[in-house]
Every structure is written in structure tokens, then in C-alpha cells.
Amino acid sequence: MTHTLFRQLALPVALGAILVGCAGNDNNDSTATPTTTISGVAVAGAVTGTVSVRDGAGAELATAAVTNGAFSVAVPDAALSGELDFVVTGAYSDEVSGDTVTLGAAHPLALRTAAHHFQAGQLGNAPVTPDTTVIRALAAGHGMTLAAAQTAFESAFGYLPDLDAVPFDPKTTSQDAANARTQADKDAAFRAGLFSQLAHEVGLSGDDIAGLPAALADDLSDDDLDGVDGTGNPVTIGAVNLEALHHDSALPFRLLKAHAAFVGNAAANQAGLSAPAMLPPVSYDAAGAAKTITTPNGRHITVALDTVADAPFITGFWTARVRHRLTLIDADTQQPVDITTDPDIVGLGNHPMMYMLNGHDHTTPHGHDPDTSAKAQGQYVLDNYYVMASAMANGTPMGVWDYVAYVKEDADGDRATTNDVVSVPVIFHPQVKMTMGSDVLSVSASNANDQWTNMMGMNQARGYRLWLHAVEPNNAGGHDLTVFVSTQNIANPTGSDPHAHTLSFPSVRVGRVLQGVKDASSGLRPDVTLATVTVEVSLDNGASWQPLVADGTTGRYTITALSGLSTTAANTVQLKLTVNGNAMATAAGAYPALIFTAP
């Protein structure tokens, strides 16, 4: 494959080298050594330094300068029949942190190519990047064949580096210049930035960043990205312990979240690159997953995540109301933890967060106060209403859900004050799936008169979502039906809460303050107060309506003893949501409707 960079930087040198080699042969000059020029780039950020080309035994064959990432080096033709190492030392500016990173002999950028990868007399391409460095470290430092090293890398990262690609520094390349490149070039550039983002995510800075590829190779030496090397020891980089990080939140999910973070990192990703199609495989936390934490007071608490559901809901994680059951067990005594009486563990909370691969992060509607009715068994239930699935219908990930449970510990164990309560996070990664079958358990609606400015900076009708919260037989006849209503909002940033301006999904109730259409001069979204909110239900296609009653400020609305719901066939339950006098409708202009069979 011929690339623009070759033509601009490498082709004149390559032709000269080829002519020199041919001239030596034509003139029967036995002293000339035929060589082939290999052009390449060394990008973690763009490196300036030196490239050393070595044979399979480690003997140096040639060297050349690397300037702003680019190099061109003449390699003896006789060496092309064996594996070659391209070892780059020098320095570069890290995309995310901006730190200057030194590449020394212990932690260079490197590339190993297979025997006969390059052909005598043909211009070669050598992209030297963090991912090729991991593969070379597996082969050079862990006794793997190159093929085995590539297999180990691909199993963890979901791709193999494209050695025909010409990566570039995504921080110093404009979006227009990036758009002129091939997709393979852009994917390779993104992945160079991805490793910078991953280094940031795991807490590396300065020259420690250069040690990340070697550490990942140590980790993958047992074919498992889990923070543990092939001898069972934790992998460390300076003060960073990858095993401990993996215990808190699995490394494959950190890697996938780094994809999302780099897409949205406008300062580091000035080229405006999107995440490549090939993504790392992940193993989600299934219902019943358990993790043990150590609290500041030294308690060992095992937290298990499960779900409970009553018809028409089913257990598992879905784009619907999900009742998360968290079970707390003292790992030392194997006794359940009662958060209402335990001297140390005094509360439990949760905070779900979606890290989208398009660079946007957001939470989802969720409850804050656990149901403690099963506290004697250490069991607590918290509601979540998932607004999106983890993956598209074809299985392609859309992002990563972090379900973070917070175990709250009283620092002095007296349960007397709240200002000394510490929250210890436990992170799960559920696979949220799209609801299956014909049931419709949530529905969106809007009104053109109710406008806001969305996360893309566009003005549009604000979306509202009505969720089936519960439908239960009423002993007096009929069913009690409860609907939860949420919306979308982006608050103005504040000094005390820098994340306040991210997308949120607050409940809809009288008195709720939202933000509307952004003011062009101030850049702020003005307050919009919900003065009136009504929810009504119809079972006869809108011929008659019955009101639901607000449950305080929860965003839930209930009607008791609703008659006419079938327990043997699907019901179409139309809803009329009116907010500040605006009646909400679907995109087709109809009343939003939930569809389900009542228990």
C-alpha cells in the first residue's frame, strides 16, 4: 500500500537506496552491500530520537534519526529473510497529560516483523507504536513466538496492528488533515492516543508512561489481562498496581472506557478521531457476581449483585426498570450486614454511569434510598431505569455501564453523625440488554414547545420517558399501576461540581428545575421550573382518561384499583403526560403507550 507520507518523506530516499543496491550489483562491486530502505513512523506522541534495526539475534544492522515521528533506514537485504526489531529511543510529548516521556533502553517503542515481511528493492513501512511494542515485548521478553504474541495481544485488545498503516499524532494533527488519511491510518493514530488515555486512566505520569506497554506484556504473558503476570505476581508500574486496579474495575473495561474517553478528549484528540470498529472483548458481571472490599476500618465486606423482578418484568439487566438486589455479607464472620444496626456499615447507595464510545458520559434514572425490608438477610433493593443498552442489536458495544454500589461506613462507629461517613465504591459491569418480545416497558415523548439545548449543542424538543414502574393486583379488584417519569437535562457547570454540566436524567415532578435553551451570549442554559405535571391513563384508545396521583417528589405516579387490565393478553395502556401545559406525544404524534400483560 502506498501512502502520502511515504511519497513525501520516504520515496526519494527509498529510490536512492534501491538504485545504490542495483548499481552495486550491475558494476560487480563486491564491496557494496545491497540494502532496502524502510520508512516508518514512531508514534506514542510523535517521537524524536533514534531507531535501531536489529536482527533476530539482537545484532544491530542499521540506525537512523527519528524526527517528529518519521524515519527512513537502509537495511541490508540479507537480513530481510529473518525477523527484524525496530527499537526507538528518544522522547515525545504524551497526548493526554502533556508530559514529556523519555524512551530509554529499558522501555523503548518497538516493532518486531516476521521473516520475509519486507522484500528486497521494495519500499517498506514500519509503524512503531505502543501496541506493536506490547507484541514485541511478549516475544522478546517472554519467550513467545511472534505468532503467539500476536494471538495473545489480539485476544485482549480485539485487533492486530496494521503494518500497512501510517499512524500520526492525533494531538498535533488537525481534523481536516486527519480526514485526508486512510481509515487504517486513522485507526492506528487513534490507538496511539488510546494508550495515552489508558495510561491516564490507570494513574501514570511522566516517564512511567513509557513502562505501560512492557507492563501489559507482563500481564498478557499468561494470556489474561488481569493485572497478574505469568508467575502469579501483581504487575506494577512505579506505584501503580494493575492487579489492585483490576480488582476494583476489570482492566478490559478500563480499556474500553479509555476508548470512550479519548473520543471525547478534544484537547488530546484534535484530529477528531472516532473509535475503531474492532474493540476489546469484555466479560460482563452476570447476576450473582460478588466482590469483596476492605473498608477504612478494616472490615471485609462481600457485596453480591443480583436482580429481582415481578411480572411483567424479568430478572437480569434490561432497558427497563431494574430492581438491583445487593447482598452484604461480613466476609470474616459470614454474617449478613444490617445497615440499620451495624456499628460501622451504616448505609448503601448506588450510581450507574454509562461511558459511551462516542465520547459522552451519562448516568441513568436511579433510586437513592434502598429498600431495607430484607435487612436481616443483608439484602437491599435499589431501582435503576436503564436508558440504553450496552451494545447494539448486532453485538457491537455502545459503551460501558459502571454500576457503582457505595458501602457507607461510619469512621468512628458511633452512628451519631454523618460528617464522618466514608463511601467505599464497589464497581460492577452489567450487560444491559434491549428488552425482548412484544412488551413495551418504557416509551418516549416530547412537545415542540418544550425546548432545550442537548449535549451536542443543538436546540431540540426535550425528551420525556414514561416507564412502567409496577403493576400489581389490588385486593379490592383491578390493579395498582405506577408509572415513573424522567427527562433529560444538562445543568450549568459550577465550581464546586465540575461534572454538573454532563447529561442527567432527573425525575419529572412539580418544582423540578431544569435548564432550557442555551443563551448565545452567556453560554448558560436558563432555569426552567416545572410548575405543573399531570399524568393520565386510558385503556380505550383515548376515549376516556383517568388521573394518576403523584407519589411525593419521587417522579412516580399511581392509580389504584384500575379496572380493565387483562392477565392473559397484552394490554395497550395509553398515557397522557402534560408538563407546563404541553401535552407530550411520540414522534408519530400519538399518545405514548406501554404494552404488557398484567400479573
Side-chain angles (χ1 to χ4, degrees):
M1 182 182 293
T2 300
H3 293 279
T4 301
L5 184 63
F6 293 169
R7 291 194 293 270
Q8 293 177 342
L9 297 176
L11 191 56
V13 180
L15 290 175
I18 294 169
L19 289 174
V20 168
C22 292
N25 291 334
D26 290 344
N27 294 329
N28 295 317
D29 183 355
S30 61
T31 63
T33 301
T35 61
T36 293
T37 294
I38 298 171
S39 294
V41 286
V43 177
V47 178
T48 294
T50 303
V51 60
S52 170
V53 184
R54 304 169 187 176
D55 64 17
E60 188 170 78
L61 303 170
T63 63
V66 181
T67 304
N68 196 29
F71 64 84
S72 185
V73 61
V75 178
D77 288 351
L80 302 183
S81 60
E83 292 184 347
L84 295 177
D85 279 343
F86 294 77
V87 181
V88 176
T89 55
Y92 68 92
S93 175
D94 179 62
E95 286 101 345
V96 173
S97 67
D99 293 349
T100 297
V101 180
T102 302
L103 299 167
H107 296 305
L109 279 187
L111 162 69
R112 175 165 290 187
T113 58
H116 301 289
H117 178 76
F118 301 104
Q119 302 300 313
Q122 297 182 17
L123 179 61
N125 179 44
V128 187
T129 48
D131 45 18
T132 66
T133 305
V134 176
I135 293 172
R136 190 260 183 176
L138 280 166
H142 294 281
M144 291 187 181
T145 65
L146 179 58
Q150 290 170 334
T151 298
F153 180 89
E154 186 175 18
S155 67
F157 286 81
Y159 74 98
L160 281 177
D162 186 341
L163 300 191
D164 287 329
V166 182
F168 51 88
D169 185 349
K171 184 172 186 176
T172 59
T173 303
S174 70
Q175 192 164 7
D176 287 342
N179 288 339
R181 300 296 196 105
T182 70
Q183 188 60 50
D185 294 349
K186 289 188 280 189
D187 286 351
F190 180 94
R191 287 165 174 149
L194 169 66
F195 276 81
S196 172
Q197 189 71 51
L198 181 61
H200 174 75
E201 298 295 326
V202 301
L204 299 177
S205 61
D207 288 347
D208 282 346
I209 295 171
L212 179 61
L216 292 171
D218 291 343
D219 192 342
L220 286 175
S221 63
D222 62 355
D223 295 320
D224 191 7
L225 189 62
D226 60 358
V228 178
D229 67 17
T231 62
N233 292 316
V235 176
T236 59
I237 316 168
V240 173
N241 184 315
L242 293 185
E243 182 188 28
L245 293 178
H246 180 77
H247 179 270
D248 291 340
S249 180
L251 290 177
F253 285 96
R254 291 179 183 270
L255 177 59
L256 193 55
K257 286 163 62 176
H259 281 74
F262 191 70
V263 171
N265 192 335
N269 184 15
Q270 294 186 25
L273 303 174
S274 300
M278 291 181 289
L279 296 167
V282 292
S283 297
Y284 296 94
D285 288 320
K291 301 186 179 184
T292 300
I293 59 169
T294 301
T295 71
N297 283 356
R299 294 282 296 276
H300 302 106
I301 306 297
T302 298
V303 183
L305 173 65
D306 209 336
T307 66
V308 293
D310 297 317
F313 301 98
I314 59 176
T315 58
F317 307 101
W318 306 94
T319 50
R321 180 205 181 193
V322 175
R323 300 178 67 206
H324 295 72
R325 182 173 64 199
L326 293 161
T327 303
L328 274 56
I329 301 293
D330 187 303
D332 296 320
T333 66
Q334 294 302 306
Q335 295 300 307
V337 177
D338 182 346
I339 64 173
T340 67
T341 60
D342 191 276
D344 300 302
I345 310 304
V346 298
L348 184 66
N350 72 153
H351 187 77
M353 196 72 184
M354 163 57 82
Y355 298 90
M356 295 181 65
L357 292 177
N358 65 8
H360 296 294
D361 308 337
H362 62 78
T363 183
T364 203
H366 58 283
H368 299 279
D369 298 318
D371 178 345
T372 61
S373 57
K375 62 186 180 181
Q377 290 77 45
Q379 296 179 352
Y380 308 92
V381 175
L382 284 153
D383 280 332
N384 272 237
Y385 307 84
Y386 285 108
V387 295
M388 67 179 295
S390 300
M392 293 186 286
N394 64 3
T396 301
M398 291 192 289
V400 175
W401 277 109
D402 275 10
Y403 180 79
V404 187
Y406 289 98
V407 177
K408 301 178 181 180
E409 181 178 65
D410 189 295
D412 57 16
D414 63 1
R415 301 186 65 92
T417 59
T418 58
N419 59 4
D420 57 354
V421 171
V422 177
S423 294
V424 183
V426 189
I427 304 174
F428 295 94
H429 299 291
Q431 183 180 23
V432 178
K433 300 178 181 179
M434 299 178 186
T435 51
M436 302 175 65
S438 58
D439 285 358
V440 177
L441 303 182
S442 72
V443 61
S444 297
S446 61
N447 186 297
N449 294 323
D450 187 340
Q451 294 278 313
W452 75 307
T453 303
N454 68 13
M455 69 168 66
M456 305 299 294
M458 300 172 58
N459 297 337
Q460 66 176 92
R462 188 191 304 273
Y464 293 82
R465 185 175 287 267
L466 298 100
W467 308 78
L468 179 63
H469 176 84
V471 55
E472 301 168 329
N474 185 294
N475 291 332
H479 288 82
D480 296 343
L481 174 71
T482 301
V483 174
F484 173 74
V485 185
S486 66
T487 187
Q488 302 173 344
N489 193 52
I490 299 178
N492 293 310
T494 65
S496 60
D497 185 4
H499 300 294
H501 60 290
T502 59
L503 180 65
S504 64
F505 296 87
S507 60
V508 174
R509 50 143 175 104
V510 170
R512 170 72 71 188
V513 178
L514 305 175
Q515 276 63 49
V517 175
K518 183 184 290 187
D519 179 76
S521 58
S522 68
L524 299 177
R525 296 170 168 85
D527 289 351
V528 176
T529 300
L530 304 188
T532 60
V533 178
T534 60
V535 181
E536 300 169 83
V537 61
S538 174
L539 300 182
D540 54 13
N541 199 30
S544 61
W545 295 92
Q546 301 177 67
L548 281 73
V549 178
D551 180 8
T553 59
T554 63
R556 296 194 294 267
Y557 298 81
T558 298
I559 182 170
T560 58
L562 175 66
S563 60
L565 288 179
S566 172
T567 60
T568 59
N571 302 278
T572 298
V573 178
Q574 289 183 308
L575 297 165
K576 184 193 296 184
L577 171 66
T578 306
V579 180
N580 285 355
N582 298 310
M584 303 299 159
T586 66
Y591 288 115
L594 301 174
I595 301 175
F596 57 88
T597 301

